Amino acid sequence: MAETEATGLLQTDQIFDVPVSQLLLDPLNPRLPFVGIGSVTQDRIIDYMLREGNIAELMGAIGEIGFQRSEPLLVTSVKEGDPDWDLERSRDTPLYYVVEGNRRLTAVLLLLNPGRAKHRRITITAVSTEATHRPTEVPVLVFDKREDLLDYLGYRHITGTKPWGALEKAIYLDQLSQARGATDFQALAKTIGSRSDYVAKLLTGLKVYRTIEERDFFDLPGVERETVSFSLITTALGYAKLNEFIGLTSARDHEAKGLKLDELRKLTEWMFRPFEGKTRLGDSRNLGDLGEVVAETAALKAFVNGRPLAEAVLLTGQPTQVFREAVEDAYSRLKDAQAGANKARDLAETDAERLRDVSRLARDLARVVEGRLFEDED
């Protein structure tokens, strides 16, 4: 078993060469957005890597200079209960999952067999044909258990030089909590050097994201893996009224047992379905307004029926709050101006004119308010 030091660096005295035929891409790789959703086959992983991983360029580098022994693949044995256990039992030689180094393994696999590429076939075939090196064996460092690698992965991809995005972090934290047998936000936060509320939001967001993907993005036109932003989902979880709308008790509700699928479908549509060149939500800064709308029956009905968000929010209590805060702020500033008026120097006629404008505006607003009060009495 390989050990990790406190710095997160790996010891290299147990590196040895393994035939590529004994290596499998990791079906639990946190970089795969579909991890935990449906069947994760080797071909599906290769397909994703080709789309997202700049594999042709990596193939060219390995094909030119070979596979670097100083950067071994980090692997763990395929064991009973793993997706490929039946394949393992049918062989005379052991199989290993590559937990760290899947892009490099994909590049080697395609150098040896470019026919596995479903995309960029002409480019992949050309790179393979021109390659000087097509390694059939690569250096590996074997770990007894996947759990032994998790701390190192966290060091490398969260606090280290190759940081993950929010979705990859969430998948990693989910795997780490499963390995530990419990979800302790505080302990997980210490592992990645972050806050417990951030960890909770990531895990809750992952549950919501997986629910959306498991349902094929609710068959919404234009809504697919490439257009659904995990970061926008976790940002939305920062608004209590949006959480309540979809059935979450809070952003820490990572089990999401009360999740409302109909409401989640609506929220997914508003945030991600293209609508006249954008989405119904528009900018992420409008999430607060959306939260106000879904919390008011009349505003929500208007929005569902097609009214723009900017109009629907006028049917909530938010405009009244904005009005009152603005009036209070103006009053407070005028009090400050009054307190400093006797000490002010170089005052001009324009200052007096501006104050007359303020006076007229205040009288007009007072008449509007009085008129509304009169309407309410009727």
Side-chain angles (χ1 to χ4, degrees):
M1 166 182 167
E3 299 289 338
T4 57
E5 301 173 356
T7 60
L9 299 176
L10 291 168
Q11 294 182 1
T12 58
D13 57 351
Q14 300 181 45
I15 296 175
F16 60 96
D17 293 327
V18 165
V20 174
S21 60
Q22 292 179 233
L23 300 176
L24 296 174
L25 295 163
D26 184 16
L28 298 180
N29 181 359
R31 285 194 182 278
L32 305 176
F34 44 79
V35 164
I37 304 170
S39 176
V40 183
T41 65
Q42 295 293 295
D43 286 340
R44 188 180 182 190
I45 299 173
I46 290 176
D47 180 54
Y48 175 79
M49 290 292 183
L50 276 171
R51 291 178 182 273
E52 306 292 337
N54 297 322
I55 297 301
E57 291 80 359
L58 186 54
M59 288 175 62
I62 295 174
E64 177 69 23
I65 63 176
F67 200 100
Q68 298 300 296
R69 191 171 183 80
S70 60
E71 295 188 22
L73 301 176
L74 309 185
V75 307
T76 185
S77 299
V78 174
K79 295 181 174 63
E80 186 172 0
D82 288 336
D84 299 283
W85 173 241
D86 288 340
L87 181 60
E88 158 74 18
R89 291 200 302 172
S90 67
R91 295 169 55 92
D92 296 327
T93 54
L95 289 177
Y96 301 95
Y97 283 131
V98 175
V99 180
E100 174 71 3
N102 283 267
R103 288 181 64 249
R104 285 175 289 150
L105 177 58
T106 300
V108 171
L109 290 172
L110 292 176
L111 280 171
L112 294 172
N113 185 3
R116 298 186 71 175
K118 292 182 179 179
H119 306 280
R120 304 186 66 187
R121 283 189 170 182
I122 296 176
T123 298
I124 297 300
T125 300
V127 173
S128 175
T129 302
E130 296 168 5
T132 302
H133 300 275
R134 299 185 192 86
T136 57
E137 291 186 344
V138 293
V140 304
L141 192 57
V142 180
F143 287 72
D144 289 343
K145 297 179 295 184
R146 179 183 297 272
E147 293 86 333
D148 296 331
L149 265 166
L150 290 178
D151 286 341
Y152 172 75
L153 292 179
Y155 167 83
R156 183 173 175 83
H157 294 295
I158 294 180
T159 62
T161 57
K162 294 188 176 181
W164 279 327
L167 179 56
E168 290 94 335
K169 290 179 183 177
I171 293 173
Y172 164 77
L173 289 168
D174 181 53
Q175 292 178 1
L176 192 59
S177 64
Q178 291 184 39
R180 293 177 176 179
T183 302
D184 184 333
F185 297 136
Q186 193 68 42
L188 291 171
K190 289 181 179 179
T191 300
I192 66 171
S194 186
R195 305 184 314 275
S196 62
D197 59 334
Y198 175 68
V199 168
K201 188 182 293 186
L202 284 179
L203 291 176
T204 305
L206 181 62
K207 178 64 176 181
V208 172
Y209 176 87
R210 284 177 168 170
T211 300
I212 295 170
E213 187 166 39
E214 285 168 355
R215 283 154 182 80
D216 294 324
F217 304 97
F218 296 108
D219 295 320
L220 294 168
V223 181
E224 53 195 15
R225 184 176 300 111
E226 290 74 19
T227 61
V228 173
S229 166
F230 179 74
S231 293
L232 184 57
I233 291 175
T234 57
T235 301
L237 295 180
Y239 296 85
K241 292 179 180 179
L242 291 178
N243 289 330
E244 183 178 351
F245 177 66
I246 62 174
L248 298 175
T249 58
S250 72
R252 301 176 71 90
D253 185 10
H254 70 286
E255 294 184 352
K257 293 181 178 179
L259 201 59
K260 302 174 183 177
L261 295 181
D262 287 343
E263 284 73 10
L264 180 58
R265 182 188 185 282
K266 290 186 178 72
L267 184 61
T268 302
E269 180 175 6
W270 298 334
M271 292 199 303
F272 300 116
R273 181 179 179 181
F275 179 76
E276 296 181 354
K278 50 183 180 179
T279 64
R280 295 291 307 280
L281 171 67
D283 194 274
S284 62
R285 290 173 292 184
N286 297 329
L287 284 169
D289 287 346
L290 182 59
E292 297 297 326
V293 167
V294 300
E296 293 284 344
T297 302
L300 176 59
K301 182 178 180 180
F303 188 61
V304 168
N305 289 336
R307 295 277 292 277
L309 181 59
E311 293 182 14
V313 77
L314 296 176
L315 301 176
T316 71
Q318 190 176 30
T320 302
Q321 180 181 353
V322 171
F323 171 81
R324 286 174 178 161
E325 290 178 352
V327 171
E328 288 297 325
D329 183 59
Y331 179 77
S332 177
R333 288 177 177 272
L334 284 172
K335 291 286 288 184
D336 291 341
Q338 183 185 45
N342 292 331
K343 299 178 181 179
R345 297 291 181 267
D346 301 323
L347 294 175
E349 174 59 26
T350 54
D351 298 315
E353 181 60 31
R354 176 57 69 192
L355 285 170
R356 287 191 286 270
D357 291 340
V358 170
S359 178
R360 285 191 292 269
L361 182 59
R363 287 196 299 269
D364 290 343
L365 284 172
R367 283 194 290 269
V368 170
V369 173
E370 290 166 355
R372 293 288 178 84
L373 293 174
F374 180 76
E375 292 174 359
D376 291 342
E377 290 177 358
D378 290 346

